[in-house]
């Protein structure tokens, strides 16, 4: 079941918008109502709505454009067009383009609720299908990317849909979340796959060098320019250019880039000939460019040119279901590379990995597994094979907080709680088990047994 289906209502008539939203909220849906198409498009790009209801006729951005964005950004959204009496032809056209249904004004709330309920049931079926796939162990992998979580599956689906469109893509996410891997997957699933995939790390080069790298230069353009050199834009012709860490480029280069994006034209440094290129652009950044554009730190016009299709990769701590799957994959890979017999991870080490917040995301997990495979002496990865950061976090975390996670059954959660409770009591009594047992209201023998079960006797 979807926890609480999310619905977006876009209508510039306040009365209509509010009454539709109220009726849907009363049914238990999470509803957001907005009046402008632009605001709606913005939300659609950032959130996965189960159902989008939009008026067909809106000032500025109309319902058909909203439909297009919805299909591009989150293809699983079901779009319902609200049309005025007499514009049924356009509504039918919208359905041909991928809308799920339309409803003609004036309509009764009952009529509307029936349509929405049917769509939500359909969404739930799709959702169950994905879950079932996971349960029967069908791993969701794509181009070497592993991800069992619903969040990651949504990312991968978006990658598949957008790959062959040629649209500019902006990939965002914390360090080590897999931005470069996604950029690779997009290129290799596009019709440009046999043409060049050129990568430029914008943070690695100072401004003048970056400009020369991107656009190339003519002989004599500057001291040291001994012969003509093609830039990365030219080299990427008919293929894809991946501009990594795009948030780091200087204002001067932002202007130049904007021109290439708008006109697909540029000149080499020191040159007069205007060159035309056919390049698909993919960018990546860890920064919040939208915020920076609003603050005037990054050009707003460039931001909108780059953010045609946004793909956000959530940090690993927000998709904990992926941790163990990724970890096992890495163990197998590094064991094969290093000729080690290790094939799995002990239960204790799994627990530790599961609770760790992974500030360095997948890269941190990958390095930890590589190290563990190389250092490990037994057939299974043990906690002692993991980096100190992980061990320390686990010990500290257990003493100070109780982690609530629905990824484990109640019986396991109770065990965790009990363990934390005991550790806290032993800590507070500075290791005096008799006093700790009194505090906990259990006999010393029971405490001793529990400590043994939880492996706490070794810690003290
Ligand atoms: N879903 C995944 N499945 C398998 N491997 C992954 C996945 N995501 C990331 N990785 C691995 O994690 C490492 C980091 O990924 P990548 O370099 O793409 O991250 P990034 O977001 O570009 O990081 P940074 O912002 O630091 O440049 C790579 O070795 C990559 O292969
Ligand atoms: Mg990267």
């Amino acid at each position: 079941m979807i926890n609480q289906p999310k619905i977006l209502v876009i209508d510039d008539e306040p009365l209509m918008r509010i009454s539709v939203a109220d009726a849907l909220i009363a049914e238990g849906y999470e509803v957001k109502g907005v009046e402008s198409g632009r605001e709606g498009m913005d939300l659609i790009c950032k959130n996965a709505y189960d159902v989008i209801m939009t008026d067909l006729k809106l000032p500025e951005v109309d319902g058909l454009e909203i439909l297009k964005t919805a299909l591009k950004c989150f293809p699983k959204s079901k779009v319902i067009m609200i049309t005025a009496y007499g514009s049924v032809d356009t509504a039918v056209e919208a359905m041909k383009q991928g809308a799920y249904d339309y409803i003609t004004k004036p309509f009764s709330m009952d009529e509307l609720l029936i349509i929405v309920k049917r769509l939500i049931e359909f969404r739930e079926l799709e959702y169950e299908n994905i879950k079932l796939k996971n349960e029967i162990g069908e791993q969701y992998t794509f181009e070497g990317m592993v991800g069992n979580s619903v969040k990651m599956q949504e990312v991968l689906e978006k990658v598949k849909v957008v790959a062959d469109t040629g649209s500019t893509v902006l990939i965002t996410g914390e360090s080590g979340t897999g931005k470069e891997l996604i950029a690779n997957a997009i290129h290799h699933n596009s019709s440009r796959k046999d043409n060049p995939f050129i990568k430029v790390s914008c943070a690695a080069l100072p401004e003048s060098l970056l400009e020369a790298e991107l656009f190339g230069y003519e002989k004599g353009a500057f001291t040291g320019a001994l012969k003509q050199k093609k830039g990365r834009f030219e080299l990427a012709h008919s293929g894809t250019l991946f501009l990594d860490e795009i948030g780091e480029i200087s204002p001067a280069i932002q202007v130049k880039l904007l021109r290439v994006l708008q006109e697909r034209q540029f000149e080499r440094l020191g040159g007069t000939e205007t060159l035309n290129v056919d390049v698909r652009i993919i960018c990546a950044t860890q920064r919040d460019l939208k915020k920076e554009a609003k603050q005037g730190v990054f050009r707003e016009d460039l931001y909108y040119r780059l953010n045609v299709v946004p793909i956000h990769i959530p940090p690993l701590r927000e998709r904990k279901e992926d941790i163990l799957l990724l970890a096992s994959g890495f163990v197998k890979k590094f064991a094969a590379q290093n000729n080690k017999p290790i094939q799995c991870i002990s239960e204790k080490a799994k627990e530790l990995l599961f609770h760790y917040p992974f500030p360095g995301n997948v890269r941190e997990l990958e390095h930890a597994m590589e190290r563990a495979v190389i250092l490990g002496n037994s057939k299974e990865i043990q906690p002692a094979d993991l980096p100190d950061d992980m061990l320390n976090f686990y010990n500290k975390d257990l003493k100070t907080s109780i982690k609530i996670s629905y990824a484990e059954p109640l019986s396991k959660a109770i065990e965790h709680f009990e363990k934390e409770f005991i550790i806290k009591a032993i800590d507070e009594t500075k290791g005096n088990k008799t006093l700790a047992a009194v505090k906990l209201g259990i006999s010393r023998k029971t405490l001793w047994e529990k400590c043994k079960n939880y492996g706490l006797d070794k810690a003290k």
Side-chain angles (χ1 to χ4, degrees):
M1 278 266 299
I2 304 174
N3 281 347
Q4 195 185 21
K6 274 183 159 183
I7 301 179
L8 177 67
V9 180
I10 312 170
D11 198 322
D12 54 338
E13 281 177 46
L15 198 64
M16 174 64 87
R17 189 177 65 244
I18 292 166
S19 50
V20 165
D22 283 352
L24 293 169
I25 289 169
E27 289 297 305
Y29 301 124
E30 184 186 325
V31 183
K32 173 90 186 153
V34 294
E35 63 175 324
S36 87
R38 191 158 300 286
E39 209 182 329
M41 295 242 276
D42 231 37
L43 286 170
I44 290 168
C45 291
K46 313 255 149 19
N47 302 285
Y49 290 102
D50 297 294
V51 173
I52 297 164
M53 293 192 58
T54 175
D55 199 353
L56 189 61
K57 264 203 173 149
L58 289 164
E60 260 196 289
V61 173
D62 70 2
L64 288 179
E65 269 185 80
I66 288 172
L67 171 66
K68 244 193 253 162
T69 308
L71 293 178
K72 213 193 259 179
C73 290
F74 187 62
K76 292 241 179 284
S77 295
K78 309 285 174 259
V79 180
I80 306 174
M81 287 289 167
I82 309 173
T83 62
Y85 177 75
S87 54
V88 172
D89 283 354
T90 338
V92 172
E93 183 51 40
M95 289 194 60
K96 277 192 199 149
Q97 289 186 28
Y100 246 77
D101 215 333
Y102 69 89
I103 187 161
T104 314
K105 284 184 203 171
F107 52 82
S108 73
M109 285 303 154
D110 283 347
E111 199 184 336
L112 172 74
L113 291 178
I114 289 171
I115 297 180
V116 171
K117 195 163 167 253
R118 200 179 60 219
L119 290 192
I120 295 290
E121 277 168 7
F122 188 68
R123 267 295 284 138
E124 259 162 6
L125 258 177
E126 287 179 331
Y127 204 77
E128 287 303 313
N129 217 350
I130 294 179
K131 258 182 65 191
L132 200 71
K133 260 195 196 168
N134 295 339
E135 276 158 20
I136 58 175
E138 191 177 317
Q139 288 181 4
Y140 200 97
T141 59
F142 177 63
E143 289 285 330
M145 283 178 295
V146 176
N148 233 8
S149 61
V150 173
K151 278 187 177 173
M152 204 54 202
Q153 289 184 21
E154 282 174 0
V155 167
L156 298 184
E157 259 183 65
K158 206 163 168 183
V159 168
K160 283 184 194 166
V161 172
V162 81
D164 207 18
T165 61
S167 304
T168 304
V169 180
L170 178 63
I171 309 169
T172 52
E174 289 179 9
S175 175
T177 44
K179 297 186 291 297
E180 190 167 342
L181 211 55
I182 295 274
N184 261 299
I186 294 175
H187 173 73
H188 288 108
N189 282 276
S190 74
S191 47
R192 295 171 181 260
K193 63 176 183 293
D194 298 322
N195 302 331
F197 177 66
I198 304 283
K199 185 193 152 183
V200 183
S201 178
C202 300
L205 299 167
E207 180 178 338
S208 54
L209 275 185
L210 177 62
E211 198 176 355
E213 268 307 310
L214 288 174
F215 306 108
Y217 50 82
E218 297 291 348
K219 182 178 172 184
F222 47 84
T223 337
L226 301 177
K227 54 178 183 172
Q228 184 203 62
K229 191 181 169 214
K230 286 185 177 175
R232 305 281 176 107
F233 267 102
E234 263 181 280
L235 296 175
H237 181 60
S238 75
T240 305
L241 182 63
F242 174 43
L243 299 173
D244 201 5
E245 301 182 75
I246 188 75
E248 312 302 320
I249 60 171
S250 67
I253 297 192
Q254 289 180 32
V255 177
K256 285 204 148 192
L257 191 56
L258 185 66
R259 178 172 165 229
V260 192
L261 283 168
Q262 279 168 347
E263 299 163 16
R264 306 278 153 179
Q265 283 187 339
F266 64 94
E267 289 90 31
R268 293 188 199 111
L269 298 190
T272 47
E273 185 194 355
T274 299
L275 304 168
N276 291 292
V277 279
D278 164 26
V279 172
R280 198 248 180 104
I281 312 276
I282 304 178
C283 303
T285 183
Q286 297 176 29
R287 297 176 35 172
D288 183 348
L289 282 194
K290 185 172 187 189
K291 196 165 132 208
E292 294 192 5
K294 272 216 175 103
Q295 293 167 341
V297 181
F298 195 85
R299 285 189 74 106
E300 205 167 12
D301 42 8
L302 179 59
Y303 166 72
Y304 283 108
R305 286 275 170 193
L306 298 176
N307 195 44
V308 180
V309 179
I311 296 185
H312 178 68
I313 316 177
L316 196 50
R317 65 184 169 278
E318 285 178 17
R319 45 184 171 106
K320 283 187 170 285
E321 309 93 297
D322 291 343
I323 295 176
L324 299 181
L325 188 65
L326 280 161
S328 315
F330 290 139
V331 169
K332 289 199 179 100
K333 178 175 97 176
F334 292 120
Q337 275 176 16
N338 295 284
N339 241 334
K340 293 274 254 185
I342 300 179
Q343 277 307 310
C344 52
I345 305 168
S346 70
E347 286 306 311
K348 189 89 194 126
K350 275 187 190 167
E351 190 186 335
L352 216 136
L353 290 172
F354 190 80
H355 285 97
Y356 185 67
F358 286 101
N361 293 293
V362 186
R363 182 179 293 113
E364 187 179 5
L365 174 62
E366 188 176 15
H367 288 166
M369 291 302 108
E370 182 173 15
R371 188 192 118 117
V373 167
I374 292 169
L375 295 181
N377 289 322
S378 71
K379 282 207 149 56
E380 291 185 326
I381 303 271
Q382 300 299 333
D385 303 329
L386 298 175
D388 288 347
D389 277 356
M390 291 186 190
L391 289 169
N392 292 342
F393 175 84
Y394 187 69
N395 293 331
K396 194 168 108 242
D397 184 56
L398 280 185
K399 282 173 197 159
T400 52
S401 72
I402 293 162
K403 284 265 163 285
I404 294 186
S405 159
Y406 297 105
E408 56 184 6
L410 180 63
S411 56
K412 267 260 171 256
I414 291 172
E415 275 181 23
H416 280 148
F417 177 78
E418 188 175 73
K419 185 172 170 185
E420 289 175 42
F421 206 56
I422 292 173
I423 292 176
K424 199 163 185 300
I426 297 176
D427 248 18
E428 284 178 6
T429 55
K430 301 203 166 49
N432 183 331
K433 294 231 173 95
T434 311
L435 269 182
V438 173
K439 249 181 183 293
L440 292 165
I442 54 177
S443 70
R444 203 182 182 287
K445 181 168 172 282
T446 312
L447 178 59
W448 182 82
E449 275 166 3
K450 286 190 185 292
C451 284
K452 193 161 172 266
N453 279 346
Y454 291 134
L456 298 176
D457 40 357
K458 286 174 229 119
K460 281 278 140 193

